[in-house]
Amino acid sequence: MTSHSVNSPQFFLTAPSPCPYLDGQSERKVFTHLVGQNAAAMNDLLTQGGFRRSQNIAYRPACEGCRACVSVRILAGEFRPTRNMRRVMARNSDLVASDYDAEPSSEQFALFRSYLDSRHRSGGMADMSVVDYAMMVEDTHVNTRVIEYRKRVEGDGILQQPAGPLIGVALTDMMSDGLSMVYSFFDTSLADRSMGTYMILDHIRRAQARGLPHVYLGYWVDGSPKMEYKTRYQPQEHLMAQGWQRYKP
């Protein structure tokens, strides 16, 4: 019988299932559990090795014959916004962002459901309940924060918690070398704000303010139009067979 140290993670492989990004392809994932006192350090190590976190699971693609999914991280210290990105930041200068412990709220869930119904009606998360959402936020053994974006209203400079309407939320892991954007959602009716772009730009700013070198965006999927936006934030690195390599668009 093989014995395993409690400090050594055990990895498992999922059965094949349809790929959500590329038609006609199937996907498999290798995963392990992030629990215990070493969870944060293990999450750092695995994220740097191309894994993503979902609740207390760290996973990465392990598809046979396909390497389209590529881990992406922005080099925050070198990042300079484009003219269009500066316009997005100016357009959202009336927002206030606050970060909290990883605790869900009914207001967050209402926005989350609206976002899924608008953008991911047929996706794998489409049937998530309020309990599922709470688990997504709370089931973490690492330093996870909820960042809320609200429209600034009179009195927000005095109140400890902003009172304006909630229009965006990011679930973010605070790592030793950067910020990992686990999941984000927003009010899709406010298309002119480009909230998806703004939240990434805000995370870059937060990483810069903390002297952290990276913002992890998850996977860029070569050939998937819905993932093209991730290559807009330059400079960035992609995790290749040789390690992290600067991406040249």
Side-chain angles (χ1 to χ4, degrees), residues 177-208:
D177 73 327
L179 307 180
S180 177
M181 298 186 70
V182 176
Y183 196 78
S184 59
F185 52 94
F186 51 87
D187 186 341
T188 58
S189 69
L190 304 175
D192 60 320
R193 285 188 176 272
S194 301
M195 278 300 298
T197 297
Y198 178 71
M199 286 192 285
I200 293 175
L201 294 172
D202 181 63
H203 277 69
I204 296 172
R205 180 193 63 77
R206 289 170 180 270
Q208 291 171 339

Short mmCIF file of all heavy atoms in Angstrom, two decimals, residues 177-208:
data_model
loop_
_atom_site.label_atom_id
_atom_site.label_comp_id
_atom_site.label_asym_id
_atom_site.label_seq_id
_atom_site.Cartn_x
_atom_site.Cartn_y
_atom_site.Cartn_z
N ASP A 177 2.35 36.58 -5.14
CA ASP A 177 2.93 37.24 -6.31
C ASP A 177 1.90 37.94 -7.18
O ASP A 177 2.19 38.33 -8.31
CB ASP A 177 3.73 36.24 -7.15
CG ASP A 177 2.83 35.28 -7.93
OD1 ASP A 177 1.73 34.95 -7.41
OD2 ASP A 177 3.20 34.87 -9.04
N GLY A 178 0.68 38.11 -6.66
CA GLY A 178 -0.30 38.80 -7.48
C GLY A 178 -1.72 38.55 -7.04
O GLY A 178 -1.99 37.99 -5.97
N LEU A 179 -2.65 38.97 -7.88
CA LEU A 179 -4.07 38.78 -7.66
C LEU A 179 -4.60 37.80 -8.71
O LEU A 179 -4.26 37.92 -9.89
CB LEU A 179 -4.82 40.11 -7.78
CG LEU A 179 -4.31 41.26 -6.93
CD1 LEU A 179 -5.17 42.51 -7.17
CD2 LEU A 179 -4.29 40.91 -5.46
N SER A 180 -5.40 36.86 -8.28
CA SER A 180 -6.00 35.90 -9.19
C SER A 180 -7.50 36.15 -9.25
O SER A 180 -8.20 36.03 -8.23
CB SER A 180 -5.72 34.47 -8.74
OG SER A 180 -6.35 33.53 -9.60
N MET A 181 -8.00 36.53 -10.43
CA MET A 181 -9.41 36.81 -10.60
C MET A 181 -10.15 35.48 -10.79
O MET A 181 -10.15 34.91 -11.88
CB MET A 181 -9.63 37.76 -11.77
CG MET A 181 -8.97 39.12 -11.56
SD MET A 181 -9.35 40.33 -12.87
CE MET A 181 -11.10 40.66 -12.54
N VAL A 182 -10.77 35.00 -9.73
CA VAL A 182 -11.44 33.70 -9.74
C VAL A 182 -12.72 33.76 -10.56
O VAL A 182 -12.98 32.92 -11.42
CB VAL A 182 -11.74 33.24 -8.31
CG1 VAL A 182 -12.52 31.93 -8.31
CG2 VAL A 182 -10.44 33.09 -7.53
N TYR A 183 -13.54 34.78 -10.30
CA TYR A 183 -14.79 34.95 -11.06
C TYR A 183 -15.27 36.38 -10.89
O TYR A 183 -15.08 36.98 -9.82
CB TYR A 183 -15.87 33.98 -10.57
CG TYR A 183 -17.02 33.84 -11.56
CD1 TYR A 183 -16.88 33.05 -12.70
CD2 TYR A 183 -18.22 34.51 -11.37
CE1 TYR A 183 -17.92 32.94 -13.62
CE2 TYR A 183 -19.26 34.40 -12.28
CZ TYR A 183 -19.10 33.62 -13.41
OH TYR A 183 -20.12 33.51 -14.33
N SER A 184 -15.89 36.92 -11.93
CA SER A 184 -16.45 38.26 -11.84
C SER A 184 -17.75 38.32 -12.63
O SER A 184 -17.95 37.56 -13.57
CB SER A 184 -15.45 39.31 -12.36
OG SER A 184 -15.11 39.07 -13.71
N PHE A 185 -18.62 39.22 -12.21
CA PHE A 185 -19.90 39.40 -12.90
C PHE A 185 -20.36 40.82 -12.68
O PHE A 185 -19.87 41.53 -11.79
CB PHE A 185 -20.94 38.38 -12.40
CG PHE A 185 -21.13 38.34 -10.91
CD1 PHE A 185 -22.12 39.09 -10.29
CD2 PHE A 185 -20.32 37.54 -10.12
CE1 PHE A 185 -22.30 39.05 -8.92
CE2 PHE A 185 -20.49 37.48 -8.74
CZ PHE A 185 -21.49 38.25 -8.14
N PHE A 186 -21.32 41.27 -13.51
CA PHE A 186 -21.70 42.67 -13.48
C PHE A 186 -23.07 42.86 -14.11
O PHE A 186 -23.66 41.92 -14.68
CB PHE A 186 -20.66 43.52 -14.23
CG PHE A 186 -20.32 43.00 -15.60
CD1 PHE A 186 -21.06 43.37 -16.71
CD2 PHE A 186 -19.26 42.11 -15.78
CE1 PHE A 186 -20.76 42.89 -17.97
CE2 PHE A 186 -18.95 41.62 -17.04
CZ PHE A 186 -19.70 42.01 -18.14
N ASP A 187 -23.56 44.08 -14.01
CA ASP A 187 -24.86 44.45 -14.58
C ASP A 187 -24.69 44.61 -16.09
O ASP A 187 -24.09 45.58 -16.57
CB ASP A 187 -25.33 45.76 -13.94
CG ASP A 187 -26.74 46.15 -14.37
OD1 ASP A 187 -27.23 45.64 -15.40
OD2 ASP A 187 -27.36 46.99 -13.68
N THR A 188 -25.20 43.65 -16.84
CA THR A 188 -25.00 43.65 -18.29
C THR A 188 -25.83 44.72 -19.00
O THR A 188 -25.59 44.99 -20.18
CB THR A 188 -25.34 42.27 -18.88
OG1 THR A 188 -26.71 41.93 -18.57
CG2 THR A 188 -24.42 41.20 -18.32
N SER A 189 -26.79 45.33 -18.31
CA SER A 189 -27.58 46.39 -18.94
C SER A 189 -26.78 47.68 -19.08
O SER A 189 -27.18 48.58 -19.81
CB SER A 189 -28.86 46.64 -18.15
OG SER A 189 -28.57 47.26 -16.89
N LEU A 190 -25.64 47.77 -18.37
CA LEU A 190 -24.81 48.97 -18.42
C LEU A 190 -23.64 48.74 -19.37
O LEU A 190 -22.47 48.88 -19.02
CB LEU A 190 -24.30 49.31 -17.01
CG LEU A 190 -25.38 49.50 -15.95
CD1 LEU A 190 -24.76 49.72 -14.57
CD2 LEU A 190 -26.30 50.67 -16.31
N ALA A 191 -23.96 48.38 -20.61
CA ALA A 191 -22.94 47.98 -21.57
C ALA A 191 -21.94 49.10 -21.84
O ALA A 191 -20.75 48.84 -22.11
CB ALA A 191 -23.59 47.54 -22.88
N ASP A 192 -22.38 50.36 -21.78
CA ASP A 192 -21.50 51.47 -22.09
C ASP A 192 -20.37 51.62 -21.07
O ASP A 192 -19.35 52.27 -21.35
CB ASP A 192 -22.29 52.77 -22.19
CG ASP A 192 -23.01 53.12 -20.89
OD1 ASP A 192 -23.55 52.18 -20.26
OD2 ASP A 192 -23.05 54.30 -20.51
N ARG A 193 -20.50 51.01 -19.91
CA ARG A 193 -19.45 51.10 -18.89
C ARG A 193 -18.30 50.14 -19.14
O ARG A 193 -17.22 50.31 -18.58
CB ARG A 193 -20.04 50.82 -17.50
CG ARG A 193 -20.85 51.97 -16.92
CD ARG A 193 -21.23 51.68 -15.48
NE ARG A 193 -21.92 52.79 -14.85
CZ ARG A 193 -21.32 53.79 -14.22
NH1 ARG A 193 -20.01 53.84 -14.14
NH2 ARG A 193 -22.03 54.76 -13.65
N SER A 194 -18.52 49.09 -19.93
CA SER A 194 -17.48 48.06 -20.16
C SER A 194 -16.94 47.56 -18.82
O SER A 194 -15.74 47.58 -18.56
CB SER A 194 -16.34 48.62 -21.01
OG SER A 194 -16.81 49.08 -22.26
N MET A 195 -17.86 47.07 -17.98
CA MET A 195 -17.48 46.70 -16.62
C MET A 195 -16.47 45.56 -16.56
O MET A 195 -15.62 45.52 -15.66
CB MET A 195 -18.73 46.32 -15.82
CG MET A 195 -19.48 47.51 -15.26
SD MET A 195 -18.49 48.54 -14.13
CE MET A 195 -18.13 47.36 -12.82
N GLY A 196 -16.55 44.62 -17.49
CA GLY A 196 -15.57 43.54 -17.49
C GLY A 196 -14.16 44.07 -17.64
O GLY A 196 -13.24 43.68 -16.91
N THR A 197 -13.99 45.01 -18.57
CA THR A 197 -12.70 45.65 -18.78
C THR A 197 -12.30 46.46 -17.55
O THR A 197 -11.15 46.39 -17.09
CB THR A 197 -12.75 46.57 -20.00
OG1 THR A 197 -13.01 45.80 -21.17
CG2 THR A 197 -11.44 47.33 -20.19
N TYR A 198 -13.25 47.21 -17.00
CA TYR A 198 -12.92 48.08 -15.88
C TYR A 198 -12.45 47.28 -14.67
O TYR A 198 -11.50 47.67 -13.97
CB TYR A 198 -14.13 48.93 -15.49
CG TYR A 198 -13.86 49.81 -14.31
CD1 TYR A 198 -12.99 50.90 -14.41
CD2 TYR A 198 -14.42 49.53 -13.06
CE1 TYR A 198 -12.71 51.70 -13.32
CE2 TYR A 198 -14.13 50.32 -11.96
CZ TYR A 198 -13.28 51.40 -12.10
OH TYR A 198 -12.99 52.19 -11.00
N MET A 199 -13.08 46.15 -14.39
CA MET A 199 -12.69 45.37 -13.22
C MET A 199 -11.29 44.80 -13.38
O MET A 199 -10.53 44.74 -12.40
CB MET A 199 -13.72 44.27 -12.95
CG MET A 199 -15.01 44.82 -12.36
SD MET A 199 -16.12 43.54 -11.70
CE MET A 199 -16.76 42.86 -13.22
N ILE A 200 -10.92 44.40 -14.58
CA ILE A 200 -9.54 43.95 -14.81
C ILE A 200 -8.57 45.10 -14.60
O ILE A 200 -7.53 44.95 -13.95
CB ILE A 200 -9.39 43.34 -16.22
CG1 ILE A 200 -10.20 42.04 -16.32
CG2 ILE A 200 -7.91 43.07 -16.53
CD1 ILE A 200 -10.23 41.44 -17.71
N LEU A 201 -8.89 46.26 -15.15
CA LEU A 201 -8.03 47.43 -14.97
C LEU A 201 -7.89 47.80 -13.49
O LEU A 201 -6.80 48.17 -13.03
CB LEU A 201 -8.58 48.62 -15.77
CG LEU A 201 -8.56 48.47 -17.29
CD1 LEU A 201 -9.31 49.63 -17.94
CD2 LEU A 201 -7.14 48.38 -17.82
N ASP A 202 -8.98 47.68 -12.75
CA ASP A 202 -8.93 47.98 -11.32
C ASP A 202 -8.04 46.97 -10.59
O ASP A 202 -7.30 47.34 -9.67
CB ASP A 202 -10.34 47.96 -10.73
CG ASP A 202 -10.34 48.29 -9.25
OD1 ASP A 202 -9.96 49.42 -8.90
OD2 ASP A 202 -10.71 47.42 -8.44
N HIS A 203 -8.07 45.71 -11.00
CA HIS A 203 -7.21 44.71 -10.37
C HIS A 203 -5.73 44.97 -10.70
O HIS A 203 -4.86 44.76 -9.86
CB HIS A 203 -7.61 43.30 -10.81
CG HIS A 203 -8.75 42.74 -10.01
ND1 HIS A 203 -10.03 43.24 -10.09
CD2 HIS A 203 -8.78 41.72 -9.09
CE1 HIS A 203 -10.81 42.55 -9.26
NE2 HIS A 203 -10.07 41.64 -8.64
N ILE A 204 -5.47 45.44 -11.90
CA ILE A 204 -4.08 45.81 -12.24
C ILE A 204 -3.63 46.95 -11.34
O ILE A 204 -2.51 46.93 -10.80
CB ILE A 204 -3.98 46.20 -13.73
CG1 ILE A 204 -4.29 44.99 -14.62
CG2 ILE A 204 -2.58 46.73 -14.04
CD1 ILE A 204 -4.41 45.33 -16.10
N ARG A 205 -4.49 47.93 -11.17
CA ARG A 205 -4.16 49.06 -10.28
C ARG A 205 -3.92 48.58 -8.86
O ARG A 205 -2.97 49.03 -8.18
CB ARG A 205 -5.30 50.08 -10.31
CG ARG A 205 -5.06 51.29 -9.43
CD ARG A 205 -6.33 52.11 -9.24
NE ARG A 205 -7.37 51.36 -8.56
CZ ARG A 205 -7.40 51.13 -7.25
NH1 ARG A 205 -6.43 51.59 -6.47
NH2 ARG A 205 -8.38 50.44 -6.70
N ARG A 206 -4.74 47.66 -8.38
CA ARG A 206 -4.59 47.14 -7.02
C ARG A 206 -3.27 46.38 -6.87
O ARG A 206 -2.59 46.49 -5.85
CB ARG A 206 -5.78 46.23 -6.66
CG ARG A 206 -7.08 46.99 -6.45
CD ARG A 206 -8.28 46.05 -6.35
NE ARG A 206 -9.49 46.84 -6.14
CZ ARG A 206 -9.98 47.17 -4.95
NH1 ARG A 206 -9.38 46.75 -3.85
NH2 ARG A 206 -11.07 47.90 -4.86
N ALA A 207 -2.92 45.58 -7.88
CA ALA A 207 -1.65 44.86 -7.84
C ALA A 207 -0.49 45.84 -7.82
O ALA A 207 0.48 45.67 -7.06
CB ALA A 207 -1.55 43.91 -9.03
N GLN A 208 -0.55 46.87 -8.65
CA GLN A 208 0.52 47.88 -8.68
C GLN A 208 0.66 48.56 -7.33
O GLN A 208 1.77 48.77 -6.84
CB GLN A 208 0.21 48.91 -9.77
CG GLN A 208 0.31 48.37 -11.18
CD GLN A 208 -0.20 49.36 -12.22
OE1 GLN A 208 -0.97 50.28 -11.91
NE2 GLN A 208 0.22 49.18 -13.47
#
